[in-house]
Amino acid sequence: MEVDRPAVSNDKVDAENTRLWRISKTLLELLADRGYQVSESELNRGLSEFLGKYQAGADVIDRRRLTQFFNPTPEMITRDTPRPTKKNPNPKSTAGTMYVEFCPEAPVGIKHIRAFAQNLDQQNYSNGILITKVSPNAAALRALEPLAERGITAETFSEGDLLVNITKHELVPKHVLLSDQEKKVLLDRYRLKETQLPRIQAVDPVAKYLGLKKGNVVKIIRKSETAGRYASYRWVY
């Protein structure tokens, strides 16, 4: 015997789909800022275009339809290539394909995280982002730990994290990730060890937005009334 589901009002459907459009827009901006290939048409896609692509009928968009993958730009590949050394004269770039998946269920349990991790591993993706309705608990997140041992970077964002692009706030200065070579030039110039630089946590909201990893050095550009702008540097820990 079938049980009729309660009808969802058009207002609630419209509100939820508009919310998903905002989340998707911030996500695309995040990926572009990290260095992935995101077209201008995708970045500038309006609500009506978004609905036309992802909405089926008059329902709330099925989050599984928002799953995508993104390739790194040539600039990102160059930036993320380690400096040549005697032991490794021809280093390979750490930049790789980014797989993005939206989890349609809440709460998010270990089975959801494991399924995401297995998909990354089986499809040979080097990076992955799982977007969840609510933040996973610590026990569920532990299912991602084995990926790091295989060189796979897996991240999670709650939908609430992506409703607004925090880097567009007037009080947030511009952050730029340095390449390995740029980092060496900086440290050599000032005769510093990286640990002597001021620090920024990897869990800092902007660091998480940019996907910064421990050991990275980020250049922070601030406005100045006297100098126009000035730069400082932070070591990610």
Side-chain angles (χ1 to χ4, degrees):
M1 177 180 175
E2 293 187 3
V3 178
D4 293 333
R5 287 190 245 171
V8 180
S9 70
N10 288 336
D11 287 346
K12 287 186 178 180
V13 169
D14 291 344
E16 182 68 357
N17 285 338
T18 299
R19 184 174 181 275
L20 286 172
W21 166 66
R22 291 173 59 193
I23 293 165
S24 175
K25 186 174 180 65
T26 300
L27 174 64
L28 292 172
E29 292 168 347
L30 175 154
L31 292 167
D33 287 342
R34 290 189 181 192
Y36 289 97
Q37 295 178 21
V38 183
S39 67
E40 286 297 322
S41 60
E42 288 178 299
L43 289 171
N44 297 322
R45 184 165 54 204
L47 176 59
S48 59
E49 293 176 89
F50 177 78
L51 296 177
K53 181 172 183 178
Y54 294 111
Q55 188 180 27
D59 297 326
V60 173
I61 291 170
D62 183 345
R63 285 165 169 77
R64 289 170 293 190
R65 301 190 66 194
L66 300 175
T67 295
Q68 290 179 268
F69 66 88
F70 299 83
N71 293 315
T73 60
E75 293 78 14
M76 182 181 183
I77 293 172
T78 299
R79 184 198 68 197
D80 292 354
T81 300
R83 289 181 297 108
T85 63
K86 289 183 179 179
K87 291 184 178 180
N88 186 14
N90 297 299
K92 293 183 179 180
S93 177
T94 58
T97 302
M98 171 65 79
Y99 171 77
V100 178
E101 179 180 316
F102 280 69
C103 181
E105 299 178 44
V108 184
I110 292 177
K111 69 173 184 178
H112 301 104
I113 300 295
R114 280 180 178 164
F116 173 68
Q118 288 172 359
N119 193 32
L120 287 179
D121 197 19
Q122 292 171 0
Q123 299 300 322
N124 293 318
Y125 290 117
S126 56
N127 304 280
I129 292 177
L130 179 65
I131 313 296
T132 60
K133 289 184 177 182
V134 296
S135 298
N137 60 39
L141 289 175
R142 280 197 286 272
L144 296 176
E145 291 177 359
L147 293 178
E149 299 171 3
R150 296 194 285 278
I152 301 172
T153 300
E155 306 167 69
T156 63
F157 285 86
S158 71
E159 292 183 358
D161 293 334
L162 298 174
L163 276 171
V164 175
N165 187 335
I166 58 171
T167 65
K168 291 188 174 183
H169 193 284
E170 61 180 5
L171 297 180
V172 178
K174 184 174 179 63
H175 290 58
V176 180
L177 172 62
L178 298 188
S179 68
D180 196 34
Q181 180 61 36
E182 290 170 331
K183 173 181 169 180
K184 182 180 184 302
V185 169
L186 173 72
L187 297 177
D188 288 348
R189 180 191 303 162
Y190 296 106
R191 298 180 181 180
L192 294 171
K193 295 180 180 179
E194 59 183 23
T195 53
Q196 293 177 296
L197 291 171
R199 301 184 177 195
I200 181 174
Q201 289 184 308
V203 294
D204 176 271
V206 177
K208 185 177 180 182
Y209 175 93
L210 291 173
L212 302 183
K213 299 176 182 178
K214 293 181 180 180
N216 286 158
V217 172
V218 62
K219 180 179 182 180
I220 302 176
I221 304 169
R222 291 183 170 88
K223 294 179 181 179
S224 167
E225 293 183 2
T226 55
R229 64 177 190 170
Y230 70 96
S232 59
Y233 299 87
R234 296 287 186 274
W235 176 66
V236 184
Y237 75 102

